[in-house]
Amino acid sequence: MEKIKTYFIKLWDALWAKTNLDEKAEAALKDAKIRINEMKKELADVKRAAKEVASQSKDVVEAAKGKKRKGRKAKK
């Protein structure tokens, strides 16, 4: 029984050695990690822009109420 088990283990290892499936999986994993990191950077940019939009929208509401504009004076 032990010989059969050893035979199938060696056969399995030989079959895996002939395939390049594991190399493709490693490449796909590496590519996915790179894409995830790029997505994180882009989401950080979107978050920053969304905060700026929220800040600016408060100014629009105040302007609609008739309040004067805050900040630097406009150049003439």
Side-chain angles (χ1 to χ4, degrees):
M1 186 68 168
E2 190 65 33
K3 285 184 178 183
I4 295 173
K5 184 178 176 183
T6 307
Y7 171 77
F8 280 115
I9 290 173
K10 287 182 180 180
L11 178 65
W12 182 254
D13 290 341
L15 287 174
W16 271 106
K18 291 187 184 251
T19 63
N20 58 359
L21 190 63
D22 52 341
E23 288 89 8
K24 288 181 183 178
E26 288 175 2
L29 182 64
K30 184 178 178 182
D31 185 44
K33 285 182 181 179
I34 290 170
R35 288 182 183 195
I36 288 171
N37 287 334
E38 290 297 321
M39 286 174 54
K40 285 180 183 178
K41 290 177 187 176
E42 290 298 322
L43 284 174
D45 290 343
V46 169
K47 181 180 174 184
R48 217 171 309 131
K51 284 183 180 179
E52 184 66 27
V53 168
S55 174
Q56 294 294 322
S57 67
K58 290 176 187 174
D59 294 341
V60 172
V61 171
E62 288 178 2
K65 290 180 182 176
K67 294 186 179 181
K68 296 266 185 189
R69 182 177 183 270
K70 295 180 182 178
R72 264 199 268 178
K73 302 267 184 192
K75 292 185 179 181
K76 292 184 181 179

